[in-house]
Amino acid sequence: MSSHKYRAMAASAVVLVLIVALAAFVISQLKNLQNQVTVEFSQLHHTMQMLDPVHSSLKLVGTRLESSQAFASDDRQRLLQRIGEYSDTNFSGISTELKDITQPLEVSLLDLQSVLSSPNLGVAQIKDALADTNAVATSVIGQLDGRFDQATKSSDHVIDNMLQAIYWGVPPMTLFFVILAWNTIRLSTSGISALTAACEQLAKGDLSQRDPANYDSEIRPVIDSINTLGARIAEVTTSIDHELQRMAQGHFDARVENRYGGAYGTLVDAVNRSIAEIERIVTGIREVAVEVRNGATEIAQGNIDLSHRTEEQASSLEETASTIKGLSQSVDNNATLASDADQLAHQAQDNAEAGSRVLKDSMTAMDDIRAASDKISEIINVINDIAFQTNLLALNASVEAARAGEQGLGFGVVANEVRNLAQRSAEAAKQIERLIADTHKKVRYGVDLVNQSGQMLVTIEHSNRRVCELVASISHSTKEQSTGFGEISRAIHDMDMMTQQNAALVEQAAAASKTMEGQALQLNELIQNFGQRAVVARVEPTSSLMLPPTPRKSPSLAIPHKSKPVVKSVEKPKTPRPVASTPKPELAHPDRSFDNMSFDDFSAIGTTKTHAKASVGSSSAPDPVRRVVNTPLHTEFDEDWESFD
Amino acid sequence: MEQRFNQLINRTEAQLDLDEELGLNQTAQYLIFTLGGKKFALDILSMQEIRRGNVITEVPNTPVHVAGVINLRGLIVPVIDLRQLFEIKGETLQKKPAVIVTKTIQNGAEKVVGLMVDAVTDVFKLSTADIQELPDIGCEIDREFVTGVSRINESAVICLDADKCISSLRNRGQVVSPFFEVKGGAAA
C-alpha cells in the first residue's frame, strides 16, 4: 500500500482524535455545569419558595400592626398557620449548607410561634417578636441571594472554558480536513476520466478497448478489473456468436462448450437451450410440414371427390326436380279427375235419390194394382154368385119346362141355353179369378222386389254418399298433395340452386386445396433443406421423414357410401377438371369470392422463404454491441472482483 | 170291371140310337147331381124345384139320414140326407148343399120331400133304353133305390127312384113327417 493512503488515513485519525477530545472536554464541562448549576438553583428556588409566604405574611402583619396598632386575632391565626406550614415542610432534598443558612430563621420562627401562642400578649411584644423574626428572615434571604450570585458566576466560568476550547479546536481541524480532501480528489480525477472513457467504449460494445496502464494510482486495480471484464465479455460473446452462426448454417449441434460462472453461465446455458429448442422446433416443423403436405394432398383429393359428388348430386337433383314436376302434373290431373269423380258421385247420388222416389211411386202403383185386383176379385165373386144363381134358376126353369110337358119344350131349350151361359160365365169367372189370384201373387212378388230394390237403392244411396265423402276427401288430399308437391318442387329448386352454388364452391375449394398442396410441398422442401444438415450430422434420420411423402388414405377422407367409384375416379389420370384451369398457387387471386384468408395464408407461405433467409442473414452478421448492451450486467461477479484486494 | 162297364155303355148308346130311330123309345129328362163325387140322376118330373141356401133346421129324435126340415114358402118340408141314406163317406165339398124338392103322389096324396145333395150339375135327356139295370157288382148303394145305370159324356150315372128314396122315410120304420108320425121302430 502506498504512503498516500497512509497519509490520508493518519490525517483522518488525527481529525477523529481531535474531535473526540473536544467533544469529551465539552461534555465534561457541561456535566460539571449541570451539577453545579441545576442542583444549586433548584434547592435555592425551593427554599425561596418556602420562605416567601412566611416573609410576606410577616411583612403584612407588621404593616397592619403599625397602621392599626391592633393585632387582629385572624391575623394571628393566619400567621400561625403560615409558620406551621413552613415548619411542616420537609427539607430533605436540601443540602446541609442551605440548612445551615436557614437554621436561624427556623429558630426565630419557633420563638414567634411560642410568643403568638401565648395569650394576652401586648401589641408591643408582638411587634418586637415580629421585628426580630423579620430581621432574621431578611438576613437569611440576603444570604440566599448571595449564594445565587455565586452559582451564576461559576456557571459563567464553565461556559467560558467551553467556548475557548471550541475556538481553538475547530479551525485547525477544518483546515486539515480540506487539505486531505483536496489531495484525494486531485489524485483520483485524472485516472477516473480515462477509466470512464474506456468504460463508455465497453458499454458501446467495443470490447477491444483497453485502458492504458500508465497510471500508477489507487484506481489501477479498478482499471485492471475493467480490462478483465471487457476481455471476459468479448470471449463469451465471441463463443456464443460462433455457435449461433454455426446454427444459422444449419448445424444444430452447435453448443457453447466453455463453462462460465454466474450470469455468463446462465447466458450460455440459455443460448444452448435456445439452440436445442430451435433444433427441436425445426424437427417438429419438418415433421409437421410433411404431415401438412400429406394432409393438403388428401384435402385436394377429397375436394376433387367432393366436386364429383356434388356434380352427381346436382344432376340427380335435376332429375328429381323433373320427376317431381311430372308427379305434380299427374297429381294435378288426379285432382281434376277426383273433382270430376266427385261431381259424378254427386250425380249418382241424385240419380239414386230419384230412383228411390220412382220406386216409392211404383210401390204405391203396386199397392193400387193390388187394391184394384182385390176389387176385381170381389166383383168376380159377385159374378160367380150370379152365375151360380142363374144356373140354379136355369135348372129350376128346366124343371118347370119338363113339368109343363110339350108346352114347355121351347122354354126348356131356352132354360138350357141360359144354364149353359151361366156355366160359361161361371167358368170365365173362375178363369178370371185364377188370373186375378195369379196377378195378386205376381203383384206381391213385384212389391217384394220393389221393396228389395228400394232397400238396395237405400244401400246404394248410403254407399254413394260414402263414395261422395271418399271422393271429396280424395279430392281434398289430392289438392293438398298438389300444394305439397309445389312446395317440394320449390324446395328442390332451392336445393338445386344451393347444390349448384356448392358445386361452384367445391370447385373453388378444390383449386384452393390444390394450391395449398403445392405450397405445402414448397414448405416441405424448404424445411428439409433447412434442417437436413443438422439432422444428418446429429440425429439418426427417421426414414419416414426423409422419404418423399407417400399419399395416405386417411379414413376420415374416404367416403363411406360410394367410396369405390370415387377412389377410382380419383386414382385415374387427371382429367381436365376445372381445377386445372385455376391459377397457380403463387398467382392466387385474393379477389376470389371465397376464403381470402386462406389465400393470404398461402401467399404468406411463399414469403416465408425470404423471411427465413433474412433471419439467417441477420443472425450471420451479429451486432456485438447490442448483444453486450442487452446482456444484463449483474453484480454477482464477486469471484472476478475478489482480485481487488 | 170298368172295361165291361164301358162296353155296356157303348152297347147302350148304340141301342138307344136304334130305339130312337125305331120310335120305340120314350125319352125323359133327368136331373144330374153329385154325391161324394159320384153322379146320380133323378127323373125331372118327380121334382118340384131346386133350393139352395135354405137353412135346414135339425129335428131331434129323427133317423140319421133325416137332415131336418126347411121352410119352403111357409110349408115345412122334411129333408133327407142322401149321403147318410146311401152311406157315402167323405166330406161334402159344397158349403151350401142343394136341396132337391120332390113332389110325388103316394096313396093319392101329394108328398113334398127334400133331398139334400152335394150339388146339382145338369139336366139331361135320357131314353128309357139308355137306362140299364144295375149289374150285380157289389154296389155300395142299396139296390132298392136304384132304377138303373146310364151313360152321359163317357161317365156312368146312377139313376135313382125318387119314390123309393122318399118312401125310405117310412120303409125304414121312420117317420114320414117327423112332426106328426113318430114310431118306435125308427129309434131301434
Side-chain angles (χ1 to χ4, degrees):
Chain A
M1 291 293 119
S2 63
S3 59
H4 216 89
K5 204 168 167 182
Y6 281 123
R7 277 203 305 264
M9 283 178 74
S12 302
V14 167
V15 169
L16 194 68
V17 166
L18 283 173
I19 288 167
V20 166
L22 191 62
F25 177 71
V26 169
I27 286 164
S28 69
Q29 286 297 312
L30 282 174
K31 205 90 173 176
N32 198 12
L33 186 67
Q34 190 195 16
N35 283 338
Q36 279 188 348
V37 176
T38 53
V39 173
E40 200 108 340
F41 274 118
S42 68
Q43 285 181 359
L44 276 173
H45 181 67
H46 192 62
T47 313
M48 295 284 270
Q49 266 188 336
M50 286 295 122
L51 281 174
D52 266 343
V54 178
H55 192 217
S56 62
S57 300
L58 285 174
K59 267 186 182 170
L60 183 69
V61 173
T63 51
R64 282 217 190 145
L65 279 176
E66 281 180 14
S67 62
S68 66
Q69 301 298 318
F71 187 65
S73 65
D74 56 338
D75 282 344
R76 195 174 61 175
Q77 278 298 314
R78 190 180 297 161
L79 194 60
L80 275 173
Q81 192 187 347
R82 287 290 165 87
I83 292 163
E85 280 176 4
Y86 179 77
S87 44
D88 286 344
T89 312
N90 188 13
F91 290 99
S92 59
I94 296 172
S95 61
T96 50
E97 223 173 329
L98 284 174
K99 270 184 185 170
D100 289 343
I101 293 169
T102 55
Q103 189 67 35
L105 181 62
E106 282 174 26
V107 172
S108 142
L109 280 174
L110 283 173
D111 290 345
L112 182 60
Q113 196 174 10
S114 62
V115 169
L116 288 173
S117 305
S118 60
N120 304 322
L121 277 178
V123 175
Q125 282 180 306
I126 292 166
K127 264 185 182 175
D128 289 343
L130 278 172
D132 288 346
T133 312
N134 214 358
V136 173
T138 308
S139 76
V140 167
I141 285 167
Q143 281 181 1
L144 286 173
D145 281 343
R147 294 255 335 159
F148 197 83
D149 288 341
Q150 194 183 341
T152 306
K153 269 175 191 165
S154 67
S155 69
D156 281 347
H157 178 67
V158 168
I159 288 165
D160 281 346
N161 284 347
M162 282 196 296
L163 281 174
Q164 279 191 359
I166 286 165
Y167 289 155
W168 288 108
V170 169
M173 281 195 290
T174 306
L175 184 66
F176 192 69
F177 213 86
V178 164
I179 291 163
L180 190 67
W182 170 248
N183 196 24
T184 309
I185 287 164
R186 188 183 55 83
L187 283 171
S188 302
T189 41
S190 60
I192 281 169
S193 60
L195 192 63
T196 307
C199 283
E200 277 175 358
Q201 286 299 313
L202 202 65
K204 281 174 185 166
D206 186 7
L207 295 179
S208 61
Q209 197 71 30
R210 295 287 182 272
D211 187 48
N214 51 0
Y215 292 98
D216 187 16
S217 67
E218 282 77 6
I219 61 165
R220 182 68 247 168
V222 177
I223 291 162
D224 287 347
S225 33
I226 284 170
N227 284 341
T228 315
L229 170 69
R232 182 62 61 90
I233 288 168
E235 184 189 347
V236 171
T237 50
T238 309
S239 57
I240 288 171
D241 177 40
H242 177 67
E243 298 304 329
L244 283 177
Q245 284 201 34
R246 278 193 65 209
M247 187 195 79
Q249 287 161 4
H251 298 286
F252 283 104
D253 57 338
R255 296 287 187 275
V256 181
E257 299 297 343
N258 295 337
R259 297 286 92 196
Y260 300 100
Y264 296 121
T266 316
L267 175 66
V268 163
D269 285 349
V271 167
N272 283 345
R273 274 204 307 277
S274 301
I275 292 168
E277 191 69 15
I278 287 166
E279 180 188 12
R280 200 176 63 76
I281 287 165
V282 165
T283 311
I285 284 171
R286 219 155 38 73
E287 291 172 9
V288 170
V290 170
E291 292 289 323
V292 164
R293 219 204 78 173
N294 292 348
T297 310
E298 283 169 2
I299 287 168
Q301 285 175 352
N303 266 329
I304 289 162
D305 295 348
L306 189 59
S307 173
H308 276 300
R309 279 201 305 282
T310 311
E311 278 181 4
E312 284 173 22
Q313 190 184 2
S315 63
S316 56
L317 258 179
E318 276 176 11
E319 284 174 19
T320 310
S322 60
T323 311
I324 285 289
K325 202 164 276 177
L327 266 175
S328 180
Q329 281 176 357
S330 71
V331 163
D332 284 343
N333 288 344
N334 279 353
T336 49
L337 288 177
S339 61
D340 290 353
D342 195 21
Q343 285 179 358
L344 285 175
H346 274 297
Q347 283 179 6
Q349 177 82 5
D350 293 345
N351 289 343
E353 279 169 7
S356 185
R357 280 198 298 277
V358 168
L359 261 184
K360 271 176 194 159
D361 291 351
S362 55
M363 287 266 281
T364 51
M366 287 284 190
D367 280 343
D368 289 351
I369 289 168
R370 194 164 55 181
S373 52
D374 281 348
K375 218 163 242 175
I376 289 168
S377 284
E378 285 172 17
I379 291 164
I380 292 295
N381 274 339
V382 170
I383 289 168
N384 220 0
D385 204 35
I386 288 167
F388 194 82
Q389 291 291 339
T390 311
N391 190 27
L392 200 66
L393 279 175
L395 281 173
N396 277 329
S398 295
V399 169
E400 286 295 330
R403 286 171 69 88
E406 286 293 324
Q407 284 83 13
L409 273 175
F411 187 64
V413 170
V414 171
N416 212 18
E417 289 301 316
V418 169
R419 199 167 41 82
N420 281 340
L421 280 173
Q423 277 181 347
R424 277 173 59 192
S425 60
E427 279 172 13
K430 231 169 241 170
Q431 280 182 1
I432 289 168
E433 206 172 5
R434 273 203 301 278
L435 283 173
I436 286 292
D438 201 33
T439 310
H440 228 261
K441 226 183 280 175
K442 281 175 180 169
V443 163
R444 192 167 297 142
Y445 184 58
V447 165
D448 280 353
L449 286 178
V450 165
N451 273 335
Q452 283 180 11
S453 36
Q455 286 172 356
M456 297 295 271
L457 264 181
V458 168
T459 314
I460 286 167
E461 217 170 316
H462 281 302
S463 309
N464 216 25
R465 200 164 292 146
R466 183 87 186 110
V467 166
C468 263
E469 290 171 6
L470 287 175
V471 165
S473 64
I474 285 168
S475 178
H476 183 67
S477 52
T478 310
K479 271 170 196 160
E480 283 184 352
Q481 277 178 0
S482 181
T483 51
F485 267 118
E487 286 173 6
I488 286 169
S489 189
R490 275 196 297 282
I492 282 180
H493 182 67
D494 292 350
M495 276 167 70
D496 192 24
M497 276 174 60
M498 282 190 278
T499 309
Q500 300 281 358
Q501 289 174 356
N502 280 354
L505 205 64
V506 161
E507 280 184 7
Q508 289 175 348
S513 62
K514 205 73 185 163
T515 311
M516 196 174 84
E517 195 184 357
Q519 282 164 347
L521 200 64
Q522 276 188 357
L523 177 68
N524 216 20
E525 287 169 359
L526 201 67
I527 288 291
Q528 266 189 348
N529 288 336
F530 185 57
Q532 208 164 18
R533 279 164 293 177
V535 170
V536 166
R538 276 174 57 82
V539 191
E540 277 299 312
T542 49
S543 57
S544 67
L545 292 179
M546 295 309 292
L547 283 173
T550 50
R552 285 187 301 153
K553 275 285 168 201
S554 79
S556 63
L557 280 167
I559 292 86
H561 60 285
K562 44 194 295 186
S563 58
K564 281 196 174 178
V566 166
V567 166
K568 243 180 230 173
S569 69
V570 165
E571 286 171 355
K572 265 191 275 182
K574 291 281 186 282
T575 51
R577 299 278 310 147
V579 175
S581 67
T582 54
K584 286 281 117 186
E586 285 80 12
L587 301 171
H589 292 303
D591 58 345
R592 291 295 287 254
S593 62
F594 79 105
D595 213 354
N596 287 332
M597 271 300 292
S598 64
F599 274 107
D600 291 340
D601 291 344
F602 296 155
S603 56
I605 289 170
T607 55
T608 43
K609 193 196 277 183
T610 57
H611 276 305
K613 274 177 183 168
S615 66
V616 165
S618 68
S619 65
S620 65
D623 189 2
V625 176
R626 190 148 297 163
R627 290 290 168 88
V628 169
V629 166
N630 288 341
T631 309
L633 285 168
H634 290 293
T635 55
E636 296 168 3
F637 302 154
D638 291 340
E639 52 183 16
D640 294 327
W641 290 93
E642 273 171 8
S643 58
F644 184 81
D645 283 327
Chain B
M1 190 195 80
E2 201 172 336
Q3 203 172 7
R4 274 186 65 193
F5 190 75
N6 285 335
Q7 282 174 359
L8 187 67
I9 285 170
N10 289 337
R11 194 175 54 84
T12 307
E13 275 187 347
Q15 204 172 4
L16 193 82
D17 294 341
L18 189 66
D19 286 347
E20 217 167 355
E21 283 176 9
L22 291 175
L24 293 174
N25 284 337
Q26 278 192 328
T27 57
Q29 288 188 19
Y30 281 83
L31 183 73
I32 310 299
F33 62 91
T34 58
L35 276 172
K38 294 182 180 65
K39 284 185 175 175
F40 292 88
L42 201 63
D43 189 1
I44 207 167
L45 292 175
S46 63
M47 56 188 62
Q48 180 191 322
E49 61 179 305
I50 300 156
R51 300 299 301 180
R52 188 186 169 90
N54 284 44
V55 177
I56 297 171
T57 310
E58 287 185 17
V59 178
N61 208 12
T62 52
V64 184
H65 61 275
V66 176
V69 296
I70 57 169
N71 184 3
L72 184 70
R73 291 183 291 274
L75 182 69
I76 299 301
V77 175
V79 177
I80 295 166
D81 188 352
L82 287 184
R83 274 174 164 268
Q84 293 290 335
L85 186 65
F86 300 152
E87 295 174 356
I88 290 169
K89 309 286 188 300
E91 287 294 312
T92 173
L93 294 173
Q94 304 290 330
K95 284 180 182 175
K96 289 180 178 174
V99 175
I100 301 164
V101 181
T102 59
K103 187 199 255 178
T104 54
I105 299 166
Q106 290 186 343
N107 303 326
E110 274 189 349
K111 253 191 152 20
V112 179
V113 175
L115 300 173
M116 194 172 85
V117 297
D118 282 353
V120 178
T121 58
D122 221 345
V123 173
F124 242 81
K125 192 187 275 179
L126 294 173
S127 66
T128 48
D130 290 339
I131 300 166
Q132 312 225 332
E133 204 172 328
L134 185 71
D136 191 5
I137 49 171
C139 185
E140 56 187 328
I141 304 165
D142 272 340
R143 291 180 74 90
E144 56 174 323
F145 304 116
V146 178
T147 55
V149 63
S150 183
R151 187 184 60 89
I152 298 167
N153 294 338
E154 309 298 326
S155 62
V157 179
I158 296 165
C159 298
L160 295 176
D161 189 347
D163 290 340
K164 294 265 179 66
C165 289
I166 290 159
S167 64
S168 70
L169 288 172
R170 196 182 336 66
N171 287 348
R172 293 205 168 192
Q174 285 142 358
V175 285
V176 176
S177 169
F179 294 106
F180 307 116
E181 289 178 288
V182 177
K183 297 206 171 167

